[in-house]
Amino acid sequence: MTTLSAYISLDTTSRSIGADEVAALLQASAVQHGTSVSLTRTGTRGLFWLEPMIEFDTDAGRVAFGPLDPGDVRAVSTVISPKGELNTEHPAYLGLLDEVPEFAGQLRHTYSRVGVTDPLSLAQYRAHHGYEGLQRALSMNSDDIVEEIANSGLRGRGGAAFPTGIKMRTVAAQNDTQKYIVCNADEGDSGTFADRIIMEGDPFLLIEGMTIAGVACGATQGYIYVRSEYPQAITLLNKALATAYEHQLLGENVMASGKQFDLEVRKAAGAYICGEETSLLESLEGKRGLVRFKPPLPAIEGLFGKPTLINNVVSLVSMPEIVRLGADSYHALGVERSRGTLTVQLAGNVKKGGLFEVPFGTALRDVIEQFGGGTLTGRPVKAVQIGGPLGAFVPPAHFDMPLDYEAFAARGAMIGHGGMVVFDDTADMGEMARFSMEFCAIESCGKCTPCRIGAVRGTEVIDKIRRGEEVDAHRILLRDLCNTMVDGSLCALGGMAPFPVLSVMDHFEEEL
Amino acid sequence: MTPEQIKQRTAIIVESMQFLPGGLLPILHRLQDQLGYVPEESVPVVAKALNLSRAEVHGVISFYHHFRRTPPGRRTLFVCRSEACQSVGGRALEQHAKERLGIDWHETTTDGSVTLEPIYCLGNCACAPAVMLDEQVVGRVTSGRLDALIDDLSATD
């Protein structure tokens, strides 16, 4: 009896549309056919319009079937022919996964293992270059590691896109016996799921990245602050952590180097503001997530008053490859001051939603049209909100922009985490502007007045405009209020919530 | 559970976690995981062990959307309100959920079966609109699929 090796994603989104049911049906049909299937649950390839999908090993590579309706027993059972072979005549047969255009058109650099390996298998992680980055880091001195990261051009995936190497250098330079590495995994922006996909699909990569950061900065304790909305990511991370401890990849003597690094997962509690770095630190200290004044910077006085490197998931998971292959390997990708790759997340009203890793410099239009394939409803695209709920609504007239932090900033937009939410022409942009203010009012930490009160007033003024009350005067007032929030707020929540509102006023004036 | 039993349960949790740096959130999480909510009777026990005022503990509980101060229904249905879900009919789905269950946000059906909560992004944006039933995320939810999900709940109750 032949054994077929099959792979099905266990990522939250794949499961949310029936991956578990398809896995069960596949096993049941294998029994019927007298074949045996060795099934590995992997992370996702990010091609969600093809999920639930099954991949099989063949001599030529992995071939795939998808999407498979979990309610259609026959569709799943006929993937394997009565002879126990793969049924290449099946309507959902996709051929070699590497040749699916939207996959072939990417450059999987940081996300190369996601969807390929069993996320909890340390052996598979190592077989695909896992822990080679840390091994090299342990043979280097700390300044050289920091220089590699700085020279790679890696920038943070928050709104500010701050150079990661500079932060690291500051923390490394502090002369303190206790320092911390904190991973900001409170990815609360709508339309972003890159962090979740990597935490569920390649958790050892985050552990390795944070350990490298710890070695570079001289920090012995790390915390991963993960959203409570991501229960599966928390479970998988905790399992991977336990395995890493068992194999002395964490603890008192990391890889027999004599260096210590401990790591703990902390569950957040549903406050969007805790994605802001200083609020996150307050929350980790067990307090309300109120924004801190800066300075002092967290790199100098961070968690529990100690020097703290706080980075997003994508920054930290980029480090192992940068150290393993050298800064040039990352810097060679991208354009201008935007180096390396961006994991674009296409979502909302889009035909082919998913995660696509591409070099910076790729045209926005290519992303939306070639990868996304237009709207799900088939209607014209009206706007794309980029960079989360605080990102501008970009109209199709601006789709010629390259994915480049500065090119976006020049048009009043931001890339942020790379999340893109597509809207078709039925979207009510006035309502979207109102929602931005309403969201800010719900999520404001309340510490500064422009954000706390401005967001409430902003919602009211938009309501008045939409009711037709003194429209011209209220438009002037709204713009003024937006400027006050932008200039006067302590952090990016109040400081950026007006951006979507202003973009609606600028590009969709008749709707507000 | 009587107030006295709640205090005892709280004391056991607190004892095992009180020396965790920044331990208040992990303690509140464990309380809610075990009891379904953070009872008022737990507050003084937690405050005393962590050398905080009761007001400080209360302030933390009320700041975070995740913590609840009253017992939830047997199951909790979270409906995502974020932009990606809105772009494919999320608003109509929210309305449908409220009408079908006959309750508003943060309320529990009269038979105690379901609590309805808004949530801001489940990271399921590429297969929106999304809901989460306790910890199970469901994507591409139409009003029909939501009805079927709720029907299943009543059947298994």
Side-chain angles (χ1 to χ4, degrees):
Chain A
M1 190 170 70
T2 52
T3 300
L4 296 167
S5 295
Y7 305 85
I8 295 178
S9 162
L10 56 58
D11 132 277
T12 294
T13 297
S14 309
R15 296 181 66 196
S16 84
I17 51 173
D20 292 352
E21 290 83 347
V22 167
L25 288 174
L26 176 71
Q27 295 285 26
S29 76
V31 172
Q32 275 178 3
H33 291 145
T35 28
S36 115
V37 168
S38 152
L39 177 64
T40 304
R41 299 299 296 265
T42 64
T44 176
R45 299 279 191 165
L47 312 173
F48 289 125
W49 71 100
L50 297 177
E51 292 284 356
M53 181 168 80
I54 311 175
E55 293 177 44
F56 291 94
D57 273 336
T58 69
D59 293 339
R62 279 196 198 170
V63 297
F65 294 82
L68 293 162
D69 178 356
D72 187 349
V73 176
R74 203 185 124 70
V76 180
S77 66
T78 52
V79 159
I80 303 171
S81 76
K83 287 187 202 160
E85 289 161 356
L86 296 182
N87 174 12
T88 55
E89 305 294 314
H90 193 287
Y93 180 67
L94 299 164
L96 286 172
L97 191 108
D98 287 341
E99 291 175 3
V100 170
E102 293 80 6
F103 197 75
Q106 298 182 47
L107 192 90
R108 287 280 179 137
H109 190 81
T110 307
Y111 282 62
S112 63
R113 262 178 305 264
V114 181
V116 177
T117 57
D118 172 351
L120 293 176
S121 164
L122 183 59
Q124 288 181 28
Y125 182 68
R126 284 184 185 277
H128 290 80
H129 304 296
Y131 278 107
E132 289 174 20
L134 178 60
Q135 186 82 61
R136 175 154 187 257
L138 288 168
S139 71
M140 297 162 72
N141 70 38
S142 113
D143 288 349
D144 293 341
I145 307 171
V146 174
E147 283 315 295
E148 288 280 20
I149 305 296
N151 293 337
S152 74
L154 179 66
R155 291 167 75 174
R157 295 300 193 265
F162 193 80
T164 307
I166 294 179
K167 255 190 199 178
M168 240 178 156
R169 199 178 283 149
T170 310
V171 178
Q174 303 306 308
N175 194 9
D176 208 312
T177 50
Q178 180 69 65
K179 301 180 196 176
Y180 296 101
I181 308 294
V182 172
C183 174
N184 179 349
D186 197 22
E187 170 191 61
D189 290 345
S190 171
T192 62
F193 39 84
D195 292 357
R196 184 180 61 63
I197 282 180
I198 208 136
M199 290 188 287
E200 293 181 349
D202 201 10
F204 288 114
L205 185 63
L206 180 57
I207 297 171
E208 184 185 354
M210 291 184 72
T211 312
I212 291 173
V215 171
C217 296
T220 53
Q221 175 70 49
Y223 291 99
I224 309 174
Y225 183 87
V226 193
R227 320 190 65 209
S228 55
E229 293 85 345
Y230 288 178
Q232 176 167 264
I234 293 174
T235 305
L236 292 174
L237 277 172
N238 274 319
K239 286 184 180 172
L241 271 181
T243 305
Y245 268 108
E246 261 169 49
H247 291 80
Q248 281 82 49
L249 296 163
L250 286 171
E252 288 179 356
N253 187 14
V254 174
M255 291 179 106
S257 64
K259 292 211 160 67
Q260 181 181 354
F261 191 69
D262 286 290
L263 196 49
E264 193 185 321
V265 173
R266 283 286 172 94
K267 187 168 158 185
Y272 177 77
I273 188 60
C274 291
E276 195 281 334
E277 60 179 13
T278 62
S279 299
L280 190 157
L281 294 175
E282 290 284 305
S283 183
L284 265 181
E285 290 180 4
K287 303 175 197 158
R288 297 158 68 96
L290 299 186
V291 171
R292 290 180 185 171
F293 292 100
K294 286 194 279 194
L297 295 168
I300 294 163
E301 271 185 59
L303 186 62
F304 304 116
K306 297 293 181 182
T308 301
L309 182 79
I310 174 163
N311 274 128
N312 279 338
V313 174
V314 175
S315 310
L316 291 161
V317 298
S318 300
M319 291 180 187
E321 284 294 272
I322 291 170
V323 176
R324 179 173 83 87
L325 299 171
D328 291 347
S329 69
Y330 195 81
H331 195 270
L333 306 167
V335 289
E336 307 290 336
R337 296 203 294 123
S338 304
R339 314 307 307 190
T341 57
L342 178 70
T343 39
V344 170
Q345 301 131 77
L346 263 184
N349 193 334
V350 64
K351 199 166 283 162
K352 294 185 278 185
L355 174 135
F356 311 99
E357 185 172 2
V358 293
F360 280 102
T362 305
L364 176 58
R365 186 181 305 282
D366 289 351
V367 168
I368 292 164
E369 292 175 3
Q370 286 179 18
F371 287 110
T375 62
L376 184 67
T377 45
R379 302 182 66 93
V381 175
K382 186 175 205 173
V384 179
Q385 187 176 30
I386 305 179
L390 313 180
F393 289 95
V394 177
H398 290 189
F399 284 2
D400 57 331
M401 286 190 292
L403 299 177
D404 170 2
Y405 290 117
E406 279 67 37
F408 266 59
R411 298 274 185 105
M414 68 155 180
I415 293 180
H417 208 293
M420 303 186 181
V421 178
V422 180
F423 291 84
D424 74 7
D425 62 351
T426 62
D428 177 346
M429 300 311 291
E431 183 56 36
M432 296 316 298
R434 185 188 186 281
F435 183 77
S436 300
M437 284 293 186
E438 188 191 3
F439 181 74
C440 184
I442 294 169
E443 298 295 339
S444 174
C445 83
K447 182 156 177 167
C448 73
T449 315
C451 175
R452 181 183 68 244
I453 296 178
V456 176
R457 290 283 177 262
T459 315
E460 291 167 0
V461 174
I462 292 173
D463 281 341
K464 285 177 187 165
I465 295 173
R466 287 169 67 75
R467 284 199 300 263
E469 290 174 29
E470 296 176 69
V471 171
D472 291 341
H474 278 126
R475 279 198 179 145
I476 294 168
L477 182 66
L478 181 60
R479 226 174 241 287
D480 188 46
L481 176 70
C482 283
N483 290 333
T484 304
M485 288 174 72
V486 171
D487 295 336
S489 297
L490 258 181
C491 85
L493 178 56
M496 289 171 59
F499 288 167
V501 179
L502 290 167
S503 71
V504 168
M505 292 179 88
D506 289 342
H507 304 304
F508 306 95
E509 199 191 350
E510 68 287 358
E511 295 188 36
L512 185 72
Chain B
M1 214 183 281
T2 66
E4 213 38 56
Q5 287 170 321
I6 290 174
K7 282 183 193 164
Q8 282 172 9
R9 285 286 289 274
T10 308
I12 293 167
I13 291 169
V14 169
E15 194 184 13
S16 67
M17 299 175 79
Q18 63 180 330
F19 299 112
L20 204 61
L24 181 53
L25 259 68
I27 288 171
L28 296 175
H29 272 301
R30 191 163 297 176
L31 275 168
Q32 182 154 312
D33 288 347
Q34 292 192 5
L35 306 175
Y37 70 115
V38 183
E40 199 56 45
E41 292 86 349
S42 298
V43 174
V45 181
V46 173
K48 186 155 188 282
L50 299 186
N51 198 22
L52 297 169
S53 70
R54 275 180 287 170
E56 283 171 300
V57 175
H58 174 82
V60 170
I61 297 167
S62 57
F63 182 85
Y64 294 97
H65 300 304
H66 180 85
F67 297 127
R68 39 182 315 127
R69 284 171 277 175
T70 51
R74 287 187 288 281
R75 307 293 293 274
T76 303
L77 179 70
F78 299 91
V79 179
C80 181
R81 296 201 66 208
S82 292
E83 289 86 342
C85 288
Q86 289 187 33
S87 75
V88 279
R91 285 294 180 89
L93 188 69
E94 290 171 25
Q95 202 51 42
H96 182 81
K98 289 180 188 175
E99 281 166 14
R100 169 65 212 264
L101 295 169
I103 50 176
D104 204 342
W105 298 127
H106 313 299
E107 293 179 355
T108 303
T109 51
T110 43
D111 65 354
S113 62
V114 185
T115 298
L116 183 65
E117 293 286 350
I119 199 162
Y120 292 89
C121 201
L122 294 162
N124 213 49
C125 323
C127 294
V131 304
M132 182 163 76
L133 193 58
D134 294 334
E135 294 201 340
Q136 181 204 350
V137 178
V138 185
R140 291 182 189 148
V141 183
T142 57
S143 51
R145 284 195 69 186
L146 189 68
D147 284 341
L149 207 62
I150 295 169
D151 289 341
D152 278 355
L153 288 184
S154 324
T156 53
D157 247 3

